Amino acid sequence: MTDINLFRRCSCHLTALLLASASCSAGDADQAVTSPLAGPVLGVTHCGGLYHFTKEPYVVEGALAIQKAGFPAAKFWLTNLPQVYPHNSEWNLSPNASLVDMASHPYMQEVLDMPFETVALEVQEARWPGWAKKEGFAINPDSDFSEDEKQMRELTAWLLRRYGDQERTFILQNWEGDWMFWSKDREAWRRGQHPDLAQRTDAFIRWFNARQRGIEAGRRDVPESKSRVLHAVEVNQVLVAKDGVPCVTTEVLPKVRPDLISWSCYDGMRLDRRSVEATRRGLDEGLDLLQKYGQTVEQMPGGAAVMIGEVGIPENVVPAEVTMEVLDASMKTFIRRGVPSVFYWQMFCNEAEPGADQMALPPGAWPACRGFWLTRPDGSQSYAGAFFEKLLANPGPSEVAKEN
């Protein structure tokens, strides 16, 4: 069993919370004495943004922006690259391009060569000639997932060889697992309609286990590398488990053992409540559930290691004051719980307001975004951008670790 401290090879020190005792409550912890301790590795996602500012290939532009902002970690998609990163880009990839084909593309190589200490890559079901999608399923339950195992092994070995002289961490993960697990009719699923539940559960267990086996084999292939490649299973609907709704947390996590669990934690943030206490309580409940049902190779305080694969606030929907309060409460919770890494969603907003016509305005002048951003379409810094700039500056005991 590997201690999660090995995962924290980050020079960024956050203002963490010294707990008065191991049994203190969430509220007590936020009132505790503060001191600069090693905290989560902070990163930002770049994926599918609606605007751009330079003539660089879009994936490169976003990576450079994350690097300039001072984040030691970044997340990118290694799936549907021409659709996700279209601006100023000529990908020229086969529809059945392998994971190594995509990672070794000159644009992606330029990004991966940047000195991020941690890079997360969103990797979906492997494609190959003859691959087919099955209607109603996000992954094909008829597959034996041998191609996924093979390609994850190849990608792992490729990364470990290419960056073998560098102490870096690469995380290979799926996209929000519950949206994939539930497929199309999410509200019907919440109401108790769970079509093909046993088949879905079996497919996801086999898929995740195949990916884990592939990554473990790739690590054995290149044992001398200084870099690490880890597998994370991402979930995004955790709190529904309290109401008995089948989800990846309850149906799949007990039957797999990835290196990490990733939580896209919007359900725990409880933005509908717009309350610091609701956010704190929701995140704690979600982490508790994930550690109850999940088992991982890496560990953090409380058991299974849970990274935050997505946390974000739509600033054109949520007032500025609430944005800052919820971000503050979220980061305090992540620090207190010993979460190893946190990825903010995202550098450039990817979500348009409902009903808006994205093509009505040229890239770079797109105002009708929901506001998942660190940089706005006019180039100005968002509220979240200012928050993380302050956090990354490592001021020691500071406003970030105090109650507002």
Side-chain angles (χ1 to χ4, degrees), residues 182-383:
W182 295 1
S183 196
K184 292 182 179 179
D185 197 343
R186 300 168 184 176
E187 290 308 312
W189 193 278
R190 293 178 190 274
R191 293 193 303 267
Q193 299 176 28
H194 311 134
D196 307 303
L197 176 59
Q199 191 177 19
R200 294 175 192 276
T201 301
D202 174 71
F204 271 70
I205 291 170
R206 291 187 294 110
W207 185 47
F208 289 139
N209 283 336
R211 286 157 66 99
Q212 182 72 22
R213 287 195 303 270
I215 289 172
E216 291 176 353
R219 294 194 292 236
R220 290 193 297 270
D221 292 340
V222 192
E224 70 282 0
S225 180
K226 292 182 179 179
S227 282
R228 300 202 307 157
V229 177
L230 302 176
H231 174 220
V233 169
E234 183 164 281
V235 299
N236 67 296
Q237 292 293 303
V238 178
L239 299 189
V240 296
K242 298 190 303 177
D243 300 321
V245 178
C247 57
V248 174
T249 298
T250 57
E251 308 305 306
V252 179
L253 288 186
K255 304 293 180 60
V256 300
R257 190 169 180 258
D259 296 306
L260 300 163
I261 297 166
S262 174
W263 184 20
S264 179
C265 67
Y266 302 105
D267 59 328
M269 294 175 73
R270 297 310 307 267
L271 287 175
D272 57 322
R273 302 287 182 86
R274 300 191 177 185
S275 157
V276 167
E277 182 54 38
T279 293
R280 186 184 294 124
R281 184 169 57 252
L283 291 174
D284 270 323
E285 288 177 347
L287 290 169
D288 288 343
L289 285 165
L290 289 169
Q291 291 193 316
K292 173 183 176 180
Y293 288 100
Q295 50 187 342
T296 58
V297 177
E298 304 288 324
Q299 295 286 285
M300 75 180 203
V306 182
M307 69 179 236
I308 301 301
E310 284 189 33
V311 57
I313 300 177
E315 293 186 7
N316 275 352
V317 179
V318 178
E321 182 179 354
V322 176
T323 293
M324 300 299 279
E325 289 176 348
V326 168
L327 270 179
D328 184 70
S330 298
M331 286 307 304
K332 286 177 185 177
T333 302
F334 302 150
I335 292 168
R336 173 170 49 80
R337 294 296 296 260
V339 166
S341 55
V342 175
F343 291 91
Y344 191 76
W345 186 270
Q346 61 169 316
M347 195 69 222
F348 307 136
C349 186
N350 68 308
E351 291 192 19
E353 289 284 10
D357 180 4
Q358 181 181 344
M359 303 307 296
L361 292 172
W366 178 241
C369 300
R370 296 193 67 212
F372 288 103
W373 53 32
L374 296 185
T375 300
R376 302 184 181 106
D378 63 1
S380 63
Q381 187 182 55
S382 71
Y383 301 124

Side-chain angles (χ1 to χ4, degrees), residues 164-181:
D165 61 344
Q166 303 172 29
E167 292 190 351
R168 301 177 65 188
T169 298
F170 297 91
I171 303 169
L172 308 182
Q173 63 155 98
N174 59 291
W175 176 67
E176 297 176 325
D178 290 287
W179 288 163
M180 298 173 63
F181 190 63

